[in-house]
Amino acid sequence: MTLPIFIIDFDSTFVTVESLDELARIALSHNPNKEKIAKEIEEITHQGMEGIIDFPTALAKRFALFNPTNADVETAVAFLKEHITPSVRRNKSFFQEYHKQIYIISGGFRECIQPVVEEFGIAEDHIFANTFIYDSYGAITGFDKRNPLAQVNGKVKAVASLKVKEKICVIGDGITDYQIKEQGKADMFFAFTENVYRKGVVAKGDVVIRSFDELLFHYHLPRSQSYPTSKMKVLLLENISPEAVKKFEEEGYIVEAVGRSLSEDELLEKIPTVSLLGIRSKTEITKKILAKAKKLQTIGAFCIGTNQIDLAAAAEKGIAVFNAPYSNTRSVVELVLGEIIMLFRHVFDKSQALHQGKWDKSAKGSFEIRSKKLGIIGYGNIGTQLSVVAESMGMQVYFYDVVEKLALGNTKKCSTLQELLSICDVITLHVDGAKTNKNLIGAKEFEQMKDGVLFLNLSRGHVVDISALAEAVKSGKVAGCAVDVFPSEPRSNKEPFISPLQGLSNVILTPHVGGSTEEAQRNIGHFVSERLIHYINTGSTVLSVNFPTLSLPEQKRTHRYIHVHDNTSGVLAQINTVFAKRNVNIEGQYLKTNEHIGYVITDIKTTQDDAIIKLLTEIKGTIKVRVLY
């Protein structure tokens, strides 16, 4: 295919801003009316871009409102270099390699534009823009009104002067960009919306693109993203940290963030268009939902647990799942220790009494945590860190876990759950949400505990029989408890909460906030979004909870074929046969399997061959095939 000539606008296309508006802000920095004048200039720019007023009028009106200096221009250039459109920046190699096919045609000023685009390999004679007029001392006194770009249909005239034989496509965000196509000087107009969405301009576009990756995808050209992220939707549920939203938006994804969990029916409506899904603990990802997830590549659990996700069904669909096993550990540990102290001192009861005007200054029933025996059920990431911190505060620590674990510090391992229950003054649960853990602690287990024990559950709601706990508190068997998770929890902050533990003495109830600190949520938002993005970009499955773990080397000038398949014998041989038949030399290959699926990465140095994808897909047992350029 013969490549077209690419005519690219500069303002709000090559860069994220309108360069003349930014130059005006810089020049007006010492003007007491700078904000008012700057807003007036921005409004004139908008009118010109939408075609409400013609471009020469818009240019003259704006230039009359400020007087730039050469120093202002230098400052503006430095500013513009920092505000290159993200999809332009990440595809710099395309601009450098295909610079002979690219022209920058802009109503802005050459003095601001040329120093920015020349770093991308675009030559001076491929830049068409307005120019300043200078006095004998080199000071800016105005602009050249004879320049075609300062006149009506300036961009049309500039393109007409090229006299090229190739087809011409125009990429821009303004009505003057569309006019090139409208007046027959271009074959295609791509309405560019990564930085600004102008409804009137979008309506004129032959194709609407949200990034340069989409343009390059359209023409099958080398690009930073095999499949443009601007065509991929990320759905984030349950008020996931803005850190994650920001991260995905910076990568160019379309992001929808919802502040609550969704029911199965609600998610069934949304899931068909979603490529990346982020949830926390309340949203259930069932086999029924996964069956409708036609575009879904990966799921991120922005929390520790993944029992709310059908991991096996996700693997069968070739959907990798990631979680945050460490990011909120410290937050949970701190809350547990704080609650233990408050329970031993009856802080909540005393606080409530004071709120009611009752002064009860007494040490009766109040104890230090030093020398008390802490029993930890579940010795994972949280349990181990809790044991270290609790021991440093003088507690004697015991733990029980169904899996053999190495005790840290002076912590003692109990051989049975009953042993731990019978000897500890405080018992705290930190087990996973496996179905086998349902009602792990019930009436029988409370009976086995010491009289006056303190009990905490910050793990999963269904692992404790709440009614049995309430009875144990009422009888005095349990002297106090702190519960952060419940068998049934509201989907949003607007729904009511009901529990048999409400109103009981020395009972701390919190709304599933064990890991909900700003630090933890920020860390989780960053960590999980990084895992999902890294998987999409490189195929790496490090820390996936349902895929074989592969840590991959950097992809250097190769095509990377990713093949997910049922874990049966002979698949690797068939994959290599496909490449051999297409006379393709393999640069590197990586294979890992788990009980259910196999994961093969093959790096090749060759041009894209669509037949390879088809042949790989036809291998028996194939679940999913994708290619990274």
Side-chain angles (χ1 to χ4, degrees), residues 159-262:
V159 173
S161 72
L162 297 180
K163 302 187 184 307
V164 295
K165 296 180 181 179
E166 298 97 327
K167 288 186 176 182
I168 293 174
C169 78
V170 178
I171 305 98
D173 66 286
I175 204 70
T176 55
D177 303 307
Y178 164 68
Q179 287 170 348
I180 302 171
K181 161 75 186 301
E182 183 184 40
Q183 297 190 31
K185 303 302 179 184
D187 301 279
M188 288 278 285
F189 171 55
F190 290 83
F192 188 76
T193 63
E194 183 170 351
N195 301 313
V196 62
Y197 187 96
R198 307 187 199 276
K199 190 174 180 180
V201 178
V202 167
K204 305 287 188 183
D206 295 306
V207 180
V208 179
I209 55 174
R210 291 176 290 272
S211 71
F212 268 93
D213 292 288
E214 290 191 33
L215 175 75
L216 304 181
F217 182 78
H218 181 89
Y219 285 104
H220 302 286
L221 288 166
R223 54 195 177 273
S224 66
Q225 300 172 341
S226 303
Y227 186 80
T229 55
S230 53
K231 285 179 171 286
M232 300 173 75
K233 180 179 178 181
V234 179
L235 177 61
L236 301 177
L237 305 179
E238 301 183 63
N239 204 28
I240 285 170
S241 169
E243 180 77 19
V245 177
K246 178 183 176 184
K247 195 76 180 171
F248 286 120
E249 288 180 341
E250 286 175 348
E251 289 288 320
Y253 291 94
I254 304 166
V255 181
E256 180 184 356
V258 180
R260 61 181 180 86
S261 64
L262 298 183

Side-chain angles (χ1 to χ4, degrees), residues 35-331:
E35 290 302 326
K36 180 182 177 183
I37 299 171
K39 288 187 184 307
E40 187 176 346
I41 290 171
E42 287 177 4
E43 178 56 30
I44 296 169
T45 297
H46 172 72
Q47 291 176 0
M49 292 299 101
E50 290 281 8
I52 298 170
I53 59 176
D54 62 59
F55 182 77
T57 301
L59 181 60
K61 276 187 166 187
R62 287 179 290 175
F63 210 82
L65 293 171
F66 72 103
N67 298 300
T69 65
N70 289 324
D72 295 332
V73 172
E74 289 180 7
T75 302
V77 168
F79 178 86
L80 293 170
K81 286 182 177 181
E82 294 296 320
H83 288 79
I84 292 167
T85 297
S87 68
V88 171
R89 187 184 298 280
R90 63 176 174 258
N91 285 292
K92 189 174 184 178
S93 59
F94 161 76
F95 287 89
Q96 292 171 332
E97 185 174 349
Y98 293 90
H99 62 93
K100 291 182 181 180
Q101 301 293 122
I102 300 168
Y103 289 82
I104 301 294
I105 298 183
S106 171
F109 286 85
R110 175 181 288 274
E111 290 85 346
C112 292
I113 296 171
Q114 187 171 324
V116 177
V117 303
E118 65 185 7
E119 294 182 8
F120 287 72
I122 299 172
E124 182 179 350
D125 61 353
H126 277 224
I127 303 168
F128 292 79
N130 280 298
T131 49
F132 293 123
I133 295 175
Y134 302 86
D135 63 18
S136 57
Y137 298 100
I140 298 170
T141 59
F143 64 92
D144 184 1
K145 295 180 181 178
R146 297 171 300 172
N147 187 320
L149 270 301
Q151 301 168 13
V152 173
N153 290 329
K155 290 188 176 182
V156 177
K157 295 172 185 176
V159 173
S161 72
L162 297 180
K163 302 187 184 307
V164 295
K165 296 180 181 179
E166 298 97 327
K167 288 186 176 182
I168 293 174
C169 78
V170 178
I171 305 98
D173 66 286
I175 204 70
T176 55
D177 303 307
Y178 164 68
Q179 287 170 348
I180 302 171
K181 161 75 186 301
E182 183 184 40
Q183 297 190 31
K185 303 302 179 184
D187 301 279
M188 288 278 285
F189 171 55
F190 290 83
F192 188 76
T193 63
E194 183 170 351
N195 301 313
V196 62
Y197 187 96
R198 307 187 199 276
K199 190 174 180 180
V201 178
V202 167
K204 305 287 188 183
D206 295 306
V207 180
V208 179
I209 55 174
R210 291 176 290 272
S211 71
F212 268 93
D213 292 288
E214 290 191 33
L215 175 75
L216 304 181
F217 182 78
H218 181 89
Y219 285 104
H220 302 286
L221 288 166
R223 54 195 177 273
S224 66
Q225 300 172 341
S226 303
Y227 186 80
T229 55
S230 53
K231 285 179 171 286
M232 300 173 75
K233 180 179 178 181
V234 179
L235 177 61
L236 301 177
L237 305 179
E238 301 183 63
N239 204 28
I240 285 170
S241 169
E243 180 77 19
V245 177
K246 178 183 176 184
K247 195 76 180 171
F248 286 120
E249 288 180 341
E250 286 175 348
E251 289 288 320
Y253 291 94
I254 304 166
V255 181
E256 180 184 356
V258 180
R260 61 181 180 86
S261 64
L262 298 183
S263 66
E264 186 175 68
D265 287 342
E266 288 175 314
L267 198 47
L268 283 170
E269 286 186 19
K270 286 184 175 290
I271 204 66
T273 62
V274 174
S275 298
L276 295 87
L277 175 64
I279 63 169
R280 291 174 73 183
S281 58
K282 293 180 184 176
T283 304
E284 296 284 333
I285 306 301
T286 62
K287 194 167 187 175
K288 185 177 180 181
I289 289 169
L290 292 168
K292 289 279 188 178
K294 304 300 183 185
K295 295 185 176 181
L296 193 60
Q297 298 287 337
T298 181
I299 299 171
F302 286 73
C303 53
I304 295 175
T306 55
N307 295 90
Q308 70 277 34
I309 304 168
D310 189 329
L311 297 178
E316 289 171 7
K317 293 274 292 182
I319 299 166
V321 180
F322 298 85
N323 69 335
Y326 314 108
S327 299
N328 67 357
T329 301
R330 179 68 186 194
S331 297

Side-chain angles (χ1 to χ4, degrees), residues 397-566:
V397 183
Y398 299 79
F399 81 90
Y400 171 76
D401 199 300
V402 293
V403 177
E404 187 64 33
K405 298 286 181 69
L406 177 67
L408 301 181
N410 294 314
T411 299
K412 299 177 178 63
K413 181 182 185 299
C414 294
S415 57
T416 65
L417 176 60
Q418 183 177 354
E419 179 188 353
L420 180 140
L421 297 177
S422 66
I423 63 177
C424 291
D425 305 303
V426 186
I427 293 168
T428 179
L429 277 171
H430 300 287
V431 299
D432 64 32
K435 292 180 180 179
T436 52
N437 283 332
K438 184 175 182 180
N439 290 339
L440 176 67
I441 304 296
K444 174 186 173 184
E445 287 70 31
F446 285 119
E447 186 59 35
Q448 293 170 349
M449 297 178 191
K450 293 173 66 174
D451 291 342
V453 70
L454 298 181
F455 180 80
L456 297 90
N457 181 22
L458 287 86
S459 59
R460 293 291 183 272
H462 68 266
V463 302
V464 177
D465 183 335
I466 289 292
S467 296
L469 173 57
E471 289 302 316
V473 172
K474 291 174 185 176
S475 70
K477 180 71 175 183
V478 173
C481 70
V483 180
D484 185 54
V485 289
F486 304 88
S488 178
E489 297 179 1
R491 287 189 175 273
S492 72
N493 293 342
K494 295 180 180 179
E495 293 183 21
F497 168 73
I498 300 172
S499 171
L501 295 171
Q502 289 169 315
L504 300 182
S505 177
N506 206 24
V507 170
I508 302 172
L509 303 180
T510 50
H512 206 146
V513 294
S516 294
T517 60
E518 290 193 13
E519 294 91 345
Q521 293 309 306
R522 190 163 55 242
N523 290 340
I524 290 171
H526 177 80
F527 181 85
V528 180
S529 59
E530 282 278 354
R531 298 276 69 73
L532 301 190
I533 290 168
H534 202 46
Y535 172 72
I536 293 294
N537 290 348
T538 72
S540 172
T541 55
V542 174
L543 296 180
S544 171
V545 295
N546 70 330
F547 263 42
T549 296
L550 266 182
S551 178
L552 300 168
E554 183 182 352
Q555 186 179 353
K556 294 182 177 179
R557 304 191 70 83
T558 62
H559 286 172
R560 174 166 288 175
Y561 285 83
I562 298 173
H563 191 275
V564 188
H565 56 270
D566 295 330

